[in-house]
Amino acid sequence: MPDAPGLDIPGLDFTLIARGYGVSSEQVNSAEELRAVLAERPDGPRLVQVDTALTTPN
């Protein structure tokens, strides 16, 4: 939803925020990295940050 207020807050690092709460976290930058991370069996909750490109529905 373009131009929705409150969705674009610069400087937030969600992986660091998660770690601050004791949740393991990492950022992936490719499909291969995502597949590898999702193949792992975590011991508890985790955050996997996957940045995506903004697109407009057809």
Side-chain angles (χ1 to χ4, degrees):
M1 189 180 326
D3 301 321
L7 297 179
D8 188 17
I9 303 172
L12 288 180
D13 186 333
F14 293 105
T15 57
L16 286 178
I17 292 169
R19 288 181 196 148
Y21 282 100
V23 175
S24 89
S25 63
E26 61 187 289
Q27 181 175 3
V28 296
N29 298 305
S30 69
E32 293 80 25
E33 288 179 4
L34 180 59
R35 283 188 199 96
V37 167
L38 293 178
E40 298 170 1
R41 296 183 61 115
D43 293 332
R46 70 175 169 182
L47 175 120
V48 179
Q49 180 172 329
V50 182
D51 294 330
T52 59
L54 180 62
T55 61
T56 304
N58 293 331

